[in-house]
Amino acid sequence: MSTVATAKLASLEELEALRSSIRVEQQKTQTTVALCCGTGCQAYGSGRLIEVFAEALAKEGLEDSVRVRATGCHGFCERGPLVVIHPKGTFYQRVGPDDVGEIVAKTVKQGELIERLLYVDPQTKEKAQTEEQVGFYKHQHRLVFGNNGAIDPKSIRDYLAVGGYAGLAKALSELKPDELIEQITESGLRGRGGGGFLTGRKWRSCREAEGEPKYVLCNGDEGDPGAFMDRSIMEGNPHSVLEGMVIGAYAIGSNHGYIYVRAEYPLAVENLGIAIRQAEELGLLGEDILGTGFDFEIRINRGAGAFVCGESTALMASIEGKIGDPRAKYIHTTDVGLFGKPSNLNNVETWANVPLIVNRGAEWFSSMGTEKSKGTKVFSLVGKINNTGLVEVPMGVSLRDIIYKVGGGIPDGRKFKAVQIGGPSGGCIPESLLDTPVDFEQLTELGAMMGSGGLIVMDEDTCVVDIARYFMNFLCEEACGKCTPCREGTKIMLDILGRICQGKGEAEDMDKLEALGEQVQLTSLCGLGTSAANPVLSTLQYFREEYETHVKDKRCPAGVCRQLITFSVTPEACTSCAMCVKACPVEAISGGTRKGKGKDRVRVPALIDQDKCIKCRACHEACKFDAVVIS
Amino acid sequence: MPGEKSASVEEIDVSAARKIAAGHRAQGNSLVTVLQDVQTEYGYLSGEVLEAVAEEMEVPFSQAYGLATFYSSFSLQPRGKHHICVCMGTACHVRGAANILEKLERDLGISSGETSEDLKHSLESVNCLGACALGPVVVVNDAYHGKVSSRDVDKIVADLE
Ligand SMILES: Cc1cc2nc3c(=O)[nH]c(=O)nc-3n(C[C@H](O)[C@H](O)[C@H](O)COP(=O)(O)O)c2cc1C
């Protein structure tokens, strides 16, 4: 809800006093309806639900005693719109405007459950009453994401009520910058943006670098397709990012910060902007923070749609108003970065972890995870998976557990084939390696990488050659063109992959791809090029047979590559309903109707003219009887 | 000198672009931001507008044009009355986004990245909208359509009037 204008907090005591008063005030509201307004739920219409709830509550005279809270993403996008009713935590899914009246009358007023809105576990058929009982949430460990469902991202009061800015207060009052850096180093926190560099060590380099001013930067570019966790943090809990940055700035000795946000995320820009203003008003950002004499300001820069701008040097060039092409990093950006000054860049999720560590200590953080990968990691679990959404698990959990326990397995009884991890820089991991724990080193060893945390699940209907071609196409388009190996290498690899998908592959193509891939890996200028071959090399490593089938037999076993498949109708299965005939955009289907009169009336099964067929799949989709088959 | 040059070009009034640029002149590093604001104002970046911005910011035209072509969120063409955006993210891809885009291209008679001559429709594909649970996703004038099938495309196109 709207923030009441409050004077700047001049001390830590004033912060704590404000927090207490907010908590007292919030306790007066017995019931809260938390409505997920993440991107997924909004697309399903949660924006409209807010209005309908407000109307329904007003009708019952409950507008003052029940709070409707529009929150950020709860993660379980598959089942949106999501509604949680506190204090009991009753969890409703797929809520529509027509359900609202009943929710208010029964659940809000009388605490009754509405059975049909509860989540039913597809395997056990058990109904879950709260989020904790849902398999998707049960196996998670939500820290960075812990408060997303509990706060309105546009309200700093909500963030303060759940303990926000206590980490900052502690850092400023109890820790010297060096001790703070020591704590972050000891926690084992590593960058969540892909590289996995030790955060404390980066901070130390920047602190010790010569030159003024120093810059503290947040990478919210999130360019990996299929990844949206940074978005959900920026949109759903923007203050956690700001708090992390202020703590980092204090440790590093910087007074200026920038957040670089991807062009496609207008809501993130809006919520971060609101958060910055609110934090400034309360003196948690800006001059003389909490009366300690420490100054730090943050500006937001919007990206303009270039994947390469997620790379550190390109990002800095972009903030400077230039074309975002990377430079070689003989000299680290911690020494010479933005505007030629020492700069410390961390990812959104990395920053959001910082307040947690300061609050609960390095030991607590490092007790989670594997030997070298500590804490939790947020993944976006998407593709051919039952429970699409954002999941946060401790490092060291196996991919199998993420996919089957949290994700609920593969839909429609299909078989798992591979999981792509790490986006365009990552790789495909097959069934046989699913017990691999999520850990920076172990994933890299398999030819994949943690990346930013996109997990794209593929089933037997996904063609791995097509996926490799997809990523190569992406990288080829996004390559900035500055260095030759990446610019030309991605283009040639794409050409070869395209040929293979068209059935024009040659026996040497696989070896060529491998040789070229290794060259591009070794000789490119920035991370885009050095990792560009990963999707190809990892699929060649684990799915070479599928490549060979494309090249030698001119067949696509998954039924994806257009030039290698044909569509036909099984006459016995065809009911002559003519749906396919209507769906075909090029009039390639004849028959599919009934002919004659009375007793002589016969069914004529549909027939696809192969010369006319453009393989658009419309008939396959339209057929309700599985009569259109792909071979 | 607004007005002087614009007499020769069509009706595009570049004064708003000049005003936005003038507000930022002090910070030489904000050209990307200026172009973003100018695009919000005009819907796209025409040659005239880019020229005006370059002049106002005291940078070579090539620099402004370079940025406008490097960053994919800048458009050098006007958008249609209905702007249709197809997500090509990985999650959408594995669920058949390529077929959806192709069908839209066929049905609208324009390729991705183009605007129809009557300025009614424009079609664009983007790398990822971050609404992966809904894939394949098509956004029509900011309204999201999730789990789109080719039949939904028929409906979407029919509703464009
Ligand atoms: C081509 C390319 C794209 C990248 N995109 C992103 C991105 O979208 N978000 C991000 O946080 N890091 C991205 N990175 C990694 C950054 O360069 C950098 O390592 C990271 O932001 C540092 O923060 P961290 O140590 O907290 O991970 C990208 C790197 C490359 C080479």
Side-chain angles (χ1 to χ4, degrees):
Chain A
M1 284 190 195
S2 66
T3 28
V4 189
T6 319
K8 270 182 90 158
L9 303 167
S11 67
L12 305 163
E13 292 73 32
E14 285 187 30
L15 171 67
E16 288 317 314
L18 174 64
R19 193 192 313 285
S20 307
S21 77
I22 294 171
R23 282 182 177 160
V24 169
E25 193 201 301
Q26 292 203 344
Q27 268 156 14
K28 287 187 198 146
T29 325
Q30 290 284 318
T31 311
T32 302
V33 178
L35 245 158
C36 177
C37 290
T39 319
C41 285
Q42 280 211 355
Y44 282 127
S46 64
R48 173 96 187 90
L49 281 183
I50 300 178
E51 293 164 28
V52 183
F53 261 110
E55 280 164 28
L57 289 169
K59 226 158 94 195
E60 300 273 351
L62 293 171
E63 68 270 35
D64 293 327
S65 54
V66 178
R67 178 174 170 198
V68 180
R69 180 191 279 145
T71 73
C73 179
H74 297 196
F76 200 10
C77 310
E78 186 70 36
R79 293 281 160 166
L82 307 174
V83 174
V84 183
I85 296 147
H86 297 288
K88 269 198 191 161
T90 307
F91 174 68
Y92 289 148
Q93 40 103 51
R94 300 215 166 138
V95 177
D98 295 342
D99 301 318
V100 171
E102 198 181 340
I103 295 178
V104 172
K106 288 199 178 145
T107 313
V108 173
K109 281 181 81 173
Q110 305 178 8
E112 262 176 59
L113 287 177
I114 302 169
E115 297 277 326
R116 73 164 191 286
L117 297 175
L118 295 176
Y119 173 77
V120 183
D121 189 296
Q123 268 128 40
T124 63
K125 306 287 174 226
E126 270 172 41
K127 282 188 176 153
Q129 300 187 358
T130 60
E131 281 182 319
E132 295 79 55
Q133 294 171 6
V134 176
F136 175 78
Y137 292 112
K138 201 163 33 186
H139 301 287
Q140 294 192 44
H141 193 57
R142 293 163 81 89
L143 299 174
V144 173
F145 255 107
N147 284 326
N148 259 38
I151 58 174
D152 173 350
K154 292 185 167 66
S155 161
I156 194 170
R157 295 170 70 84
D158 273 8
Y159 185 64
L160 290 172
V162 297
Y165 290 103
L168 173 65
K170 188 169 171 191
L172 292 176
S173 62
E174 294 173 21
L175 297 164
K176 295 201 185 77
D178 275 330
E179 291 167 344
L180 197 48
I181 292 178
E182 194 53 36
Q183 185 177 39
I184 298 296
T185 312
E186 276 193 1
S187 75
L189 175 66
R190 296 169 66 174
R192 301 301 197 234
F197 196 81
L198 206 58
T199 305
R201 193 176 298 161
K202 197 190 278 186
W203 289 14
R204 161 118 21 231
S205 307
C206 194
R207 175 164 184 85
E208 288 170 358
E210 295 202 5
E212 288 290 332
K214 288 178 179 164
Y215 293 100
V216 162
L217 313 173
C218 172
N219 192 338
D221 197 44
E222 194 160 58
D224 287 7
F228 57 109
M229 46 266 154
D230 292 348
R231 166 186 206 154
S232 297
I233 298 172
M234 291 186 284
E235 289 180 359
N237 195 351
H239 284 289
S240 67
V241 180
L242 302 187
E243 186 181 354
M245 287 179 74
V246 188
I247 295 172
Y250 167 69
I252 289 161
S254 158
N255 309 113
H256 305 279
Y258 283 90
I259 307 180
Y260 188 87
V261 189
R262 187 159 182 250
E264 287 83 350
Y265 292 176
L267 184 60
V269 172
E270 183 187 327
N271 287 0
L272 282 167
I274 294 172
I276 289 174
R277 245 176 291 130
Q278 291 176 337
E280 281 171 350
E281 274 167 24
L282 288 182
L284 295 162
L285 198 61
E287 281 175 21
D288 194 16
I289 293 172
L290 287 174
T292 58
F294 173 62
D295 305 336
F296 185 61
E297 52 144 33
I298 299 180
R299 290 191 199 181
I300 300 175
N301 256 66
R302 283 169 295 156
F307 172 70
V308 74
C309 286
E311 195 276 341
S312 52
T313 56
L315 181 144
M316 292 174 199
S318 185
I319 295 181
E320 291 169 8
K322 299 183 191 140
I323 283 176
D325 52 17
R327 64 161 174 82
K329 284 186 271 191
Y330 314 113
I331 302 170
H332 292 298
T333 49
T334 44
D335 286 313
V336 180
L338 184 63
F339 303 121
K341 300 294 178 190
S343 304
N344 180 90
L345 174 71
N346 280 120
N347 162 267
V348 170
E349 193 183 328
T350 315
W351 285 123
N353 267 296
V354 169
L356 300 172
I357 297 170
V358 175
N359 269 323
R360 302 206 206 169
E363 217 167 284
W364 163 79
F365 191 81
S366 64
S367 69
M368 293 175 286
T370 62
E371 193 198 333
K372 288 188 177 164
S373 304
K374 303 296 189 188
T376 62
K377 176 77 194 91
V378 185
F379 291 98
S380 71
L381 188 58
V382 301
K384 307 286 186 72
I385 183 93
N386 274 317
N387 300 337
T388 306
L390 290 179
V391 307
E392 181 175 355
V393 289
M395 295 275 191
V397 163
S398 72
L399 290 167
R400 191 183 301 281
D401 282 353
I402 298 179
I403 292 168
Y404 287 95
K405 283 194 181 155
V406 181
I410 319 300
D412 306 325
R414 311 301 290 173
K415 232 179 99 199
F416 172 87
K417 182 173 192 169
V419 57
Q420 211 280 346
I421 179 165
S425 328
C428 282
I429 292 175
E431 163 86 40
S432 58
L433 296 171
L434 270 191
D435 291 312
T436 308
V438 289
D439 169 282
F440 287 103
E441 277 71 29
Q442 298 219 31
L443 289 171
T444 307
E445 233 165 73
L446 298 182
M449 68 189 256
M450 185 82 78
S452 55
L455 279 178
I456 292 123
V457 182
M458 306 175 195
D459 67 5
E460 53 196 317
D461 296 334
T462 318
C463 169
V464 293
V465 188
D466 174 69
I467 287 296
R469 192 192 54 85
Y470 166 83
F471 281 120
M472 197 53 73
N473 182 46
F474 176 89
L475 291 163
C476 185
E477 272 179 22
E478 294 294 337
C480 74
K482 184 169 178 174
C483 79
T484 315
C486 173
R487 183 185 65 237
E488 301 300 324
T490 53
K491 175 86 181 60
I492 301 170
M493 285 192 280
L494 176 62
D495 285 346
I496 298 176
L497 289 163
R499 252 197 356 244
I500 297 177
C501 290
Q502 286 173 358
K504 295 181 190 148
E506 289 156 17
E508 322 79 68
D509 277 350
M510 276 93 77
D511 293 340
K512 258 193 216 162
L513 279 173
E514 262 167 358
L516 193 55
E518 278 159 25
Q519 279 290 321
V520 174
Q521 243 173 11
L522 287 172
T523 54
S524 292
L525 175 64
C526 85
L528 192 151
T530 56
S531 62
N534 284 355
V536 181
L537 296 179
S538 70
T539 46
L540 272 170
Q541 182 178 354
Y542 301 118
F543 297 93
R544 203 179 177 97
E545 269 164 49
E546 198 164 332
Y547 278 83
E548 278 167 2
T549 313
H550 280 73
V551 171
K552 293 195 186 126
D553 310 342
K554 312 289 176 211
R555 237 170 25 84
C556 174
V560 171
C561 297
R562 239 174 236 213
Q563 274 84 354
L564 305 181
I565 53 173
T566 51
F567 290 79
S568 57
V569 178
T570 318
E572 297 76 36
C574 178
T575 64
S576 303
C577 69
M579 289 308 277
C580 59
V581 182
K582 280 188 212 135
C584 180
V586 292
E587 295 176 8
I589 309 180
S590 58
T593 51
R594 284 149 222 244
K595 263 197 189 146
K597 285 209 174 96
K599 264 200 301 185
D600 299 328
R601 197 163 162 81
V602 285
R603 281 209 308 247
V604 185
L607 186 71
I608 301 175
D609 182 339
Q610 298 300 332
D611 291 336
K612 284 192 190 160
C613 176
I614 56 166
K615 299 173 186 175
C616 70
R617 304 181 96 88
C619 54
H620 181 69
E621 245 180 56
C623 183
K624 294 197 178 79
F625 309 96
D626 291 331
V628 179
V629 290
I630 304 172
S631 52
Chain B
M1 283 155 281
E4 197 181 76
K5 227 176 183 180
S6 57
S8 60
V9 291
E10 294 168 24
E11 324 87 68
I12 294 173
D13 178 4
V14 298
S15 56
R18 284 186 187 278
K19 212 167 132 200
I20 293 169
H24 281 275
R25 198 166 10 186
Q27 308 150 275
N29 61 323
S30 53
L31 194 49
V32 176
T33 313
V34 169
L35 292 180
Q36 282 168 332
D37 292 347
V38 170
Q39 173 155 305
T40 310
E41 175 75 27
Y42 289 85
Y44 74 111
L45 300 173
S46 66
E48 295 87 326
V49 160
L50 278 176
E51 249 171 56
V53 169
E55 206 177 282
E56 208 62 49
M57 298 284 288
E58 293 170 2
V59 297
F61 174 74
S62 60
Q63 196 176 331
Y65 186 72
L67 289 178
T69 49
F70 178 84
Y71 290 105
S72 66
S73 69
F74 292 127
S75 168
L76 299 174
Q77 278 183 46
R79 283 185 168 180
K81 181 172 157 221
H82 299 294
H83 186 67
I84 299 142
C85 185
V86 184
C87 179
M88 286 297 180
T90 323
C92 290
H93 177 80
V94 299
R95 294 186 183 174
N99 288 317
I100 300 296
L101 178 64
E102 223 168 88
K103 182 163 168 57
L104 277 163
E105 290 182 328
R106 235 182 1 253
D107 292 356
L108 296 171
I110 47 174
S111 302
S112 171
E114 286 182 356
T115 304
S116 64
E117 253 167 50
D118 57 7
L119 294 186
K120 245 182 152 172
H121 308 126
S122 48
L123 183 63
E124 178 194 30
S125 65
V126 292
N127 284 340
C128 183
L129 291 166
C132 307
L134 310 175
V137 177
V138 175
V139 183
V140 184
N141 307 327
D142 296 332
Y144 279 72
H145 299 259
K147 306 211 165 153
V148 173
S149 67
S150 15
R151 270 206 275 163
D152 297 331
V153 173
D154 288 335
K155 250 185 278 152
I156 290 172
V157 172
D159 285 346
L160 292 176
E161 43 74 82

